[in-house]
Structure formats: C-alpha cells, structure tokens
Amino acid sequence: TAERRAGGRRRQLHGATASALAPRVARRAFPLGDGAKIRLFLDTADEAEWDRLLPLGFFYGVTTNPVLLERAGLPCSLETAERLFKKAVSFPGIQEVMFQAWGASTEKLVASARNLKRLPENLGRVVVKLPLTREGVRAAAELRESDPSCKLCMTTCYSATQGFVAAGLGADYIAPYLGRMGDLGMDGIEECYSLQATVGGPNGDVWRNKSAEPGGADTLTRSLRTSTRVLVASIRSAQQMVSLVGRGLDTFTFSPKICDELLDVEAT
C-alpha cells in the first residue's frame, strides 16, 4: 500500500542519515587477524632507511638481528631495542617489530627474550626471534610454557623439516634463509615451497601445480593449517618473491635494496 511504501522510504532515509552521522573509522593499512593476508617486513636496523621507506605505509613490520644492529653501528642491548621499538611503531601500518634474543645458553636466551617481551607499550607487537638450535628450541619451549602470549619467530631455517619443530612449538613464524640456501648449493625456492606445505600457516590453502609435461595433468597441493607463518628471509631479488607467492607464501622480509627494486620500475 501507499502507507507501507512511505514507511519503507522513511526507514531508508533514517538508515542513510544514521550512516552519514556515524563516526568514520580510520582504515588500517593491515587489518588485524586473518584479513592481514600478506605481510611485508623491512629487514634493516638502519634508521635512515626507516625514515626513507617506512612512511610509504605498505610494511607490516620491521625485522632486526645482531648482525643488522652491528652494521648500523648499534649495540645489541635492551636499551637499543627499546628505542628502536618506539621509533618503528610510530610509522604508519607497523604492527610488529622483531628482535633476536641473545646469549649462548638456553638460560641467557630466555632471560633476554623475557626482557624484550617486557618492552614498554609492547601490546603484542614485539616478536622474539630464536635460532633453530637445541638451545633456541629449548628456550622457545620454556617461553611458551611460562608465557603463551609471547610471540616467537624461529630463525636460521635451512630445511623444510625444521618446520615440524616450529609448528610443534606453536611459533608464530619460521624464517627460512632463501639466499643463503642458494649459497650452499641448495634449491632455496623449492625448500621454501616444501616448508610452506609442511606448516601452511594460518592461511593454509590449496594451490594448483601446472604440469611440466605438455598435455600432462595438473596436480593440487594442500598445505597444513597451523599457527606458524613462513617468513621468507635473505631474499636476493623481487622476482623470487613473485615465484614464491605463486605457491602460497605470503610473508616476506627484505632489505632496502629489494624495496627499491619493487618501487623503481622503469616503465612506470
């Protein structure tokens, strides 16, 4: 009836008015949760490079380690980590900062990791890196037992089989060293594929593998779904990232040089 149509129009107008008056919520460069499918990290402790590249807004976080700190002329200390953390999270989109725990024994690794976890205003944004050594694995297990909220990245990965260790620990990340695998004569790309199929990550998926034989049948690969993301490190070219994305990998840390390669496309 005419009365019902008029009531419907009034409801529509009321909805439109309410929508227009509702406060606008700022969009995050990387939404929290499973919506953050791709994660890109800048792999450097050089603050001049941070100032140059992080304002671009497409990085999810920053990764550092003792070697990168040394290259930047910075001491590997809790004071350095605290200052760098405060600066990193001041840039748009930065949601995680990774620091590597230091110490030759399990006890020292656990002590430095706990100090990193306690950085002021952490709010779940500090990720502690631990090596995939026996000492590092024991440290990770102890940290998980005492504080399940501690975010962990198991690093110095050179084999897909190490993915079982990281997934068993419930680590948030495992970092294979792609370029260094190649230096050792390994097929780093294939090893990263295998690692992804082993742990899958929270975005575990199915992808199609094209047959190498003309007229051959394609095959489907299904990765597991665990809490562990494969964070590919030691990347030597942007094209390596393109190859890896095609097989389900979605998390990368790379140097300023690779970042410039992504940005400086001559035709553009």
Side-chain angles (χ1 to χ4, degrees):
T1 65
E3 184 178 352
R4 287 181 178 176
R5 287 195 297 271
R9 284 195 295 271
R10 283 194 296 271
R11 285 192 295 272
Q12 289 176 349
L13 288 171
H14 175 76
T17 302
S19 176
L21 293 176
R24 291 185 176 273
V25 178
R27 296 182 62 186
R28 304 179 70 93
F30 294 92
L32 295 175
D34 289 342
K37 176 72 173 176
I38 190 166
R39 295 186 181 183
L40 304 177
F41 291 81
L42 185 62
D43 193 32
T44 183
D46 186 333
E47 294 176 73
E49 295 289 13
W50 288 14
D51 294 336
R52 185 172 71 91
L53 298 173
L54 292 182
L56 294 171
F58 62 83
F59 284 101
Y60 186 87
V62 174
T63 57
T64 68
N65 60 44
V67 173
L68 293 177
L69 290 171
E70 183 180 359
R71 287 179 187 170
L74 298 172
C76 185
S77 67
L78 190 62
E79 292 73 19
T80 298
E82 181 175 349
R83 187 178 62 77
L84 290 179
F85 172 74
K86 288 180 178 178
K87 178 169 183 175
V89 296
S90 71
F91 290 100
I94 299 301
Q95 296 193 34
E96 289 182 342
V97 184
M98 297 196 187
F99 297 104
Q100 187 161 331
W102 54 88
S105 67
T106 296
E107 293 73 22
K108 289 183 178 179
L109 287 170
V110 169
S112 61
R114 284 177 173 158
N115 286 331
L116 290 168
K117 172 70 166 53
R118 296 189 190 109
L119 287 180
E121 302 179 17
N122 175 359
L123 302 176
R125 293 179 290 185
V126 170
V127 181
V128 177
K129 298 169 70 175
L130 289 165
L132 277 160
T133 59
R134 291 179 185 272
E135 293 78 14
V137 170
R138 282 195 292 266
E142 186 172 333
L143 288 165
R144 268 285 186 253
E145 181 70 21
S146 62
D147 185 359
S149 69
C150 183
K151 290 186 175 181
L152 298 175
C153 173
M154 303 309 295
T155 189
T156 62
C157 172
Y158 287 90
S159 171
T161 58
Q162 292 173 299
F164 291 110
V165 178
L169 289 166
D172 299 271
Y173 298 93
I174 182 171
Y177 285 3
L178 175 60
R180 296 187 196 177
M181 289 182 194
D183 295 341
L184 295 173
M186 301 170 61
D187 186 339
I189 294 287
E190 190 60 38
E191 204 66 34
C192 288
Y193 291 165
S194 299
L195 181 59
Q196 176 69 12
T198 301
V199 303
N203 294 310
D205 211 342
V206 178
W207 61 89
R208 183 176 298 276
N209 305 299
K210 290 291 185 181
S211 173
E213 301 295 329
D218 294 347
T219 59
L220 295 178
T221 299
R222 180 184 296 276
S223 68
L224 297 177
R225 185 181 291 271
T226 73
S227 62
T228 305
R229 282 178 175 265
V230 177
L231 169 64
V232 183
S234 185
I235 295 169
R236 302 288 171 80
S237 73
Q239 189 57 44
Q240 287 181 323
M241 293 165 59
V242 173
S243 299
L244 291 167
V245 165
R247 292 289 289 272
L249 290 107
D250 57 19
T251 306
F252 306 92
T253 184
F254 47 85
S255 68
K257 178 182 177 182
I258 300 299
C259 182
D260 288 334
E261 189 176 335
L262 295 176
L263 294 166
D264 298 335
V265 178
E266 185 176 352
T268 302

